[in-house]
Amino acid sequence: MECKKVLVVDDQYGIRILVKEVFSKYPLQVLQAANGMQALEIVQSDRPDLILLDMKMPGMDGLEILRRLKKMDETLKVIMMTAYGELDMVEKATHLGALAHFTKPFDIQDLCNEVIRQLAS
């Protein structure tokens, strides 16, 4: 697998670092954004292969970011992360094109396996 780029969008620094650490054993470049505006800028400049997107963030929420990402590039692969079992938001995200979602606290290995699976497809 050539070096793919994964963007982690989460306002929680700990989550971004955890994901970066877990993916360090794969040929992946992990990009990080703490909010929606940063995420959109990184997507334009770096074209990540997959985005891990938190649902709840100050400012722009995950659904709004997802809408904007899909406007920029319909083919972007996005996996949602949420701290709450908000099924309506998860349904909206799926409708907007999210491939999967993980509820925090998630099993980091499950998340990792899904990311690798999506990048391989």
Side-chain angles (χ1 to χ4, degrees), residues 68-86:
R68 293 185 187 204
L69 289 171
K70 288 294 187 173
K71 272 196 192 114
M72 287 161 63
D73 181 354
E74 191 58 45
T75 66
L76 277 172
K77 294 184 174 191
V78 181
I79 294 175
M80 303 301 292
M81 301 181 294
T82 175
Y84 320 91
E86 292 160 335

Side-chain angles (χ1 to χ4, degrees), residues 13 17 27 34 45 62 111:
Y13 178 71
I17 292 304
S45 61
L111 179 71

